[in-house]
Amino acid sequence: MLTRDTFGYTVQARCTVADALALLSDLTRQGELHPLIVRVRRLPPRPGARASYAITDRLAVGPLHFPVTYQADVLVATEDEIVTVARQQPATTVRNHTRLRPEPDGLLRIDVEITLSAPAPLFAYAFRQARSAHLALATRLGAALEEDAAPATG
């Protein structure tokens, strides 16, 4: 039996939609932001995906640390929406639905909704890990986007 729940966050950054789209739709760059990711490798796109990746996270249970590799696909990457889906065995799925909306004064609003489904015995651990990691990512995202958008000096 699968269990499912959703959480979300909003980030504002002074950047363009193109800057946000470039960072958020290229999962090879997620290691810069996501605290669990230790490796990202691009794969040939799966049917229906714009891009596919093998991602390795370093998870912990008590004092034990172990790597977990899963597949993630970018399904949608447009000026106002990014949708990714990550799949890990056994039967665990993380769907990330990101909406991009320009606001006044050059700000970009980024609304993210994460939905995780997993077998009931694994759900509590997986949901805690996903929420903690993605909320940590959120605290880094605005600064990373503004740094990318800053004009080079020198």
Side-chain angles (χ1 to χ4, degrees):
M1 179 165 178
L2 291 178
T3 302
R4 176 187 321 250
D5 202 356
T6 299
F7 64 93
Y9 60 87
T10 297
V11 173
Q12 290 182 308
R14 196 164 302 284
C15 68
T16 66
V17 169
D19 293 330
L21 187 59
L23 177 61
L24 296 171
S25 66
D26 179 0
L27 301 188
T28 61
R29 298 190 61 199
Q30 294 301 298
E32 301 169 28
L33 303 170
H34 194 294
L36 299 178
I37 293 176
V38 294
R39 182 172 183 227
V40 180
R41 188 171 41 91
R42 189 178 280 271
L43 301 172
R46 290 169 35 110
R50 297 175 58 100
S52 296
Y53 303 85
I55 300 175
T56 302
D57 285 354
R58 184 169 184 247
L59 300 178
V61 176
L64 303 175
H65 294 269
F66 56 96
V68 174
T69 300
Y70 54 93
Q71 186 164 358
D73 299 315
V74 178
L75 303 177
V76 176
T78 66
E79 287 188 3
D80 62 353
E81 181 179 47
I82 301 164
V83 177
T84 62
V85 175
R87 293 172 194 82
Q88 178 184 331
Q89 292 300 322
T92 300
T93 303
V94 178
R95 182 177 190 275
N96 180 321
H97 188 183
T98 300
R99 292 176 185 91
L100 307 172
R101 188 176 65 208
E103 292 193 332
D105 300 326
L107 283 174
L108 181 69
R109 180 183 172 114
I110 302 161
D111 293 308
V112 179
E113 180 180 271
I114 307 285
T115 302
L116 183 133
S117 62
L122 300 174
F123 181 80
Y125 174 77
F127 192 80
R128 273 193 317 273
Q129 291 291 309
R131 184 171 45 199
S132 174
H134 283 271
L135 294 179
L137 179 152
T139 66
R140 301 170 179 165
L141 180 57
L145 286 168
E146 291 183 6
E147 183 178 305
D148 282 357
T153 59

